[in-house]
Amino acid sequence: MSLPSEIKRRRTFGIISHPDAGKTTLTEKLLLFGGAIQEAGAVKSNKVKKGATSDFMEIERQRGISVATSVLAFEYEGIKINILDTPGHRDFAEDTFRTLTAVDSVIVVIDVAKGVEEQTVKLVEVCRMRNIPIIVFINKLDREGKDAFELLDEIEQKLNLTVTPMSFPIGMGYDFKGIYNIWEKNVNLFSGDSRKNIEETISIDNINNTQLNELIGDNTANSLREDVELATEVYPPFSQEDYLNGDLQPVFFGSALNNFGVRELLDCFIEIAPTPRPKESDTRLVKPEESDFSGFVFKIHANMDPKHRDRLAFVKIVSGTFNRNTPYLHVRNNKKMKFSSPNAFFAERKEIVDVSYPGDIVGLHDTGNFKIGDTLTQGELMKYKGIPSFSPEHFKYINNVDPLKSKQLAKGIDQLMDEGVAQLFVLELNGRKVIGTVGALQFEVIQYRLEHEYSAKCSYENLNVFKACWVEIKHSDPEQLKEFKRVKSRFLAIDKRGQLVFFADSAFTLQMTQSKYSKVKLHFVSEF
Ligand code: G4P
């Protein structure tokens, strides 16, 4: 198949939600439709969830939290679908933000009873900043929840979206009868006791057809007609262009657990969701159909097999074809590299691949050459933009507990930082190392992994930092910068990329510093 047709048949997306809204369940059901897994039904799917499908790490199983982000690929109706799974736990939000740099669209899962939750707000905000096309799936319709219109309002207000329902629920919870598919103009009836079956879809050419009354009863049919009429009056009609530009968000209703409404979502998704999108580099916009290969590392996963110290760098292919055993330029190191066993990911396994296309993710075995954000090209000197670090929320000094293992500790910290588990800062004043994380849980993860993977022990000491701010040397006033550096020397550190960072210990200090040194440019993200 030619490059343009391979691009045309690819959809790479992420599923995001607040924990427990049903992201894992929906992922499983999508895999089920794609024939990528065979377990049909709710009982067995739990095993899949807790088994090896999407988690690589021991620690993940132990904690029962999706620490790592994984890639699940499958084929459906001739379309190659790549799902980049994202950890729902807020402590791993940074991991999710980075994964969002590699998706071409997202599906947001919302619990019908809980509505829009905190984590959803943050993740959707990031998607909106990047104009990522969003589809909303309202889940758990088999349970009592909020009224459909109320929920659509809430989504518009809290997530700042413009929605258009593509389906509409017929009843809810105990009275849930099914879904009217506005997009396909058909009815999908639900029978709550058959969790394993995917319901037959009954096509109705017109919502006023009396067949609908026979199927769901007069009262329900009439109130559905009213609801759908109101929905089509109130909400804008679907426009693919608006959806692709991030200006309109189609909404589906269903129950992932019951396999209900999932096929409709998937069928519509493959039709409307974007094919791999162009990406901005520091020199130009790169289009997928360009013949030269290029891609970037958005995730590094280390030591999946404790017996072999291996790292896998996840590369999203942006343009051209990626071929096995072909030399590519690692731009940051200015070094050509060949990969003899690139991995492609499928639902339950990874395999060595010869050729991959834009939209695909390849896993490259790495001995420590890659960092998150690195660009690979066929020779062109350019770097992909857009994987910034945010200010961590928790800061601690990290100390070595076993003096005989200081080398192992340094190496472990170094590699964990390359993976993006946390951020390392070195204080200018005394050279002490400070670890900054988004969530408190990461400190435990780091301690655990240093001990189990690097045989190094560490302890932590609290450090009171409110925010880390990156100092932009280039555009700051030299005189004021000099004074700032002298006065604030106790609060200055260097990050992993050698950038100067200011630790503000309170919101008040930050405000005072900003007004006193107004010609010193401070940023809350590392890329400016
Ligand atoms: P997450 O990945 O977003 O965190 O959510 P996950 O899929 O793990 O789902 C969270 C819980 O919600 C699970 O129940 C799951 O079975 C349930 N769930 C998902 N979709 C539906 C649905 O359509 N209807 C209903 N009623 N429940 C749904 P759990 O009891 O927490 O876990 P488990 O023991 O079932 O795994």
Side-chain angles (χ1 to χ4, degrees):
M1 221 183 274
S2 66
L3 178 62
S5 15
E6 289 289 358
I7 294 170
K8 217 173 139 197
R9 72 180 203 97
R10 273 170 173 71
R11 307 283 183 278
T12 301
F13 75 106
I15 304 182
I16 56 176
S17 75
H18 193 86
D20 274 348
K23 179 169 62 70
T24 314
T25 314
L26 178 64
T27 307
E28 284 165 9
K29 297 298 144 104
L30 292 174
L31 293 175
L32 198 65
F33 276 104
I37 53 171
Q38 265 69 49
E39 284 90 340
V43 182
K44 275 192 185 164
S45 70
N46 283 338
K47 282 194 192 141
V48 177
K49 184 167 100 190
K50 296 191 173 112
T53 303
S54 63
D55 47 349
F56 292 113
M57 284 159 59
E58 167 73 0
I59 196 161
E60 180 177 16
R61 276 191 290 277
Q62 282 199 349
R63 290 171 194 278
I65 296 166
S66 189
V67 172
T69 308
S70 55
V71 185
L72 301 161
F74 65 97
E75 300 250 346
Y76 178 75
E77 306 276 330
I79 301 290
K80 165 95 188 284
I81 296 176
N82 296 310
I83 306 182
L84 309 196
D85 195 13
T86 53
H89 194 285
R90 70 170 297 282
D91 283 10
F92 297 93
E94 188 128 1
D95 215 358
T96 301
F97 294 151
R98 283 193 293 258
T99 299
L100 291 178
T101 63
V103 303
D104 297 305
S105 72
V106 299
I107 294 181
V108 180
V109 182
I110 289 173
D111 183 322
V112 70
K114 296 198 176 133
V116 174
E117 295 172 89
E118 181 205 338
Q119 202 52 18
T120 323
V121 176
K122 282 196 189 155
L123 294 170
V124 169
E125 206 176 293
V126 175
C127 295
R128 287 191 51 77
M129 268 160 50
R130 306 212 161 101
N131 290 331
I132 299 175
I134 299 172
I135 292 179
V136 179
F137 182 73
I138 298 178
N139 190 28
K140 307 196 185 180
L141 263 289
D142 57 314
R143 285 199 184 155
E144 287 303 325
K146 300 188 182 185
D147 168 73
F149 286 108
E150 191 190 320
L151 206 48
L152 291 170
D153 271 359
E154 186 179 328
I155 292 169
E156 289 211 314
Q157 278 160 24
K158 289 199 184 158
L159 298 179
N160 208 2
L161 302 179
T162 307
V163 300
T164 178
M166 302 290 263
S167 67
F168 213 86
I170 312 173
M172 184 193 293
Y174 187 71
D175 284 330
F176 181 52
K177 295 213 166 51
I179 301 276
Y180 177 69
N181 192 329
I182 300 176
W183 168 251
E184 290 175 3
K185 293 201 174 45
N186 57 27
V187 175
N188 193 351
L189 293 182
F190 177 68
S191 74
D193 54 352
S194 61
R195 289 189 161 188
K196 292 195 177 184
N197 296 332
I198 299 159
E199 294 299 302
E200 282 289 310
T201 298
I202 300 160
S203 284
I204 292 185
D205 52 358
N206 179 341
I207 197 169
N208 293 319
N209 192 323
T210 49
Q211 196 192 348
L212 190 64
N213 298 52
E214 288 157 31
L215 288 168
I216 58 176
D218 288 336
N219 286 349
T220 316
N222 288 336
S223 72
L224 174 69
R225 286 181 190 117
E226 280 168 21
D227 283 348
V228 171
E229 195 185 330
L230 185 62
T232 40
E233 270 169 22
V234 173
Y235 298 103
F238 175 72
S239 139
Q240 189 172 12
E241 195 187 333
D242 290 349
Y243 155 67
L244 291 177
N245 289 335
D247 294 330
L248 183 68
Q249 288 76 29
V251 179
F252 285 85
F253 292 84
S255 164
L257 186 65
N258 295 293
N259 237 337
F260 201 81
V262 180
R263 186 193 62 78
E264 289 75 4
L265 173 73
L266 186 56
D267 283 346
C268 179
F269 173 82
I270 59 168
E271 207 162 309
I272 67 170
T275 54
R277 306 209 295 174
K279 191 168 171 70
E280 202 61 65
S281 77
D282 61 347
T283 56
R284 64 191 187 86
L285 185 73
V286 182
K287 299 206 181 95
E289 55 276 9
E290 293 180 19
S291 59
D292 280 4
F293 158 77
S294 69
F296 67 98
V297 177
F298 68 95
K299 172 185 168 60
I300 292 176
H301 207 121
N303 304 336
M304 282 173 296
D305 180 355
K307 283 186 231 120
H308 306 98
R309 178 149 296 183
D310 59 343
R311 307 213 307 179
L312 206 56
F314 289 69
V315 174
K316 160 92 184 276
I317 300 174
V318 178
S319 68
T321 45
F322 174 92
N323 293 293
R324 184 153 84 105
N325 280 325
T326 305
Y328 293 118
L329 179 67
H330 181 316
V331 178
R332 183 175 52 84
N333 288 354
N334 199 13
K335 203 168 93 179
K336 289 259 179 177
M337 296 176 83
K338 266 205 283 204
F339 304 94
S340 59
S341 50
N343 279 277
F345 302 89
F346 299 95
E348 286 174 304
R349 58 186 208 285
K350 51 185 169 68
E351 263 176 21
I352 291 174
V353 276
D354 289 324
V355 191
S356 297
Y357 299 94
D360 285 341
I361 311 298
V362 282
L364 303 179
H365 288 281
D366 173 38
T367 48
N369 289 304
F370 287 118
K371 285 184 187 180
I372 285 182
D374 279 347
T375 303
L376 278 176
T377 69
Q378 209 150 314
E380 188 174 343
L381 289 171
M382 63 161 182
K383 284 188 201 140
Y384 281 113
K385 298 204 264 185
I387 309 200
S389 301
F390 298 88
S391 171
E393 288 177 24
H394 305 265
F395 298 81
K396 284 181 201 278
Y397 285 117
I398 183 163
N399 300 320
N400 187 9
V401 171
D402 182 351
L404 296 175
K405 296 281 171 66
S406 61
K407 245 188 178 164
Q408 283 90 330
L409 185 76
K411 184 173 178 196
I413 294 177
D414 217 39
Q415 295 206 341
L416 292 181
M417 298 308 128
D418 283 353
E419 270 181 60
V421 174
Q423 294 180 57
L424 178 72
F425 304 94
V426 178
L427 282 184
E428 284 230 294
L429 193 70
N430 54 17
R432 288 191 73 179
K433 288 180 175 170
V434 173
I435 300 277
T437 67
V438 176
L441 191 57
Q442 260 106 339
F443 290 108
E444 284 173 55
V445 173
I446 292 168
Q447 205 162 30
Y448 176 94
R449 289 191 55 189
L450 284 172
E451 201 174 328
H452 287 82
E453 295 169 25
Y454 300 91
S455 311
K457 280 194 176 149
C458 73
S459 67
Y460 296 115
E461 219 176 294
N462 280 334
L463 177 68
N464 177 32
V465 179
F466 163 69
K467 244 187 185 42
C469 313
W470 281 266
V471 184
E472 186 178 352
I473 307 284
K474 208 167 132 196
H475 293 110
S476 294
D477 175 74
E479 277 309 304
Q480 222 182 55
L481 184 64
K482 206 167 141 195
E483 178 64 6
F484 167 81
K485 280 188 176 174
R486 191 184 63 78
V487 174
K488 299 288 180 190
S489 64
R490 284 197 308 129
F491 305 99
L492 294 178
I494 298 293
D495 78 355
K496 195 100 205 296
R497 294 193 261 186
Q499 285 171 292
L500 186 67
V501 175
F502 167 59
F503 286 161
D505 57 12
S506 68
F508 179 71
T509 313
L510 181 58
Q511 207 183 359
M512 291 300 286
T513 310
Q514 277 175 318
S515 66
K516 186 162 178 207
Y517 302 98
S518 59
K519 292 179 190 158
V520 172
K521 288 242 170 331
L522 297 179
H523 298 269
F524 298 112
V525 282
S526 66
E527 221 176 62
F528 36 82

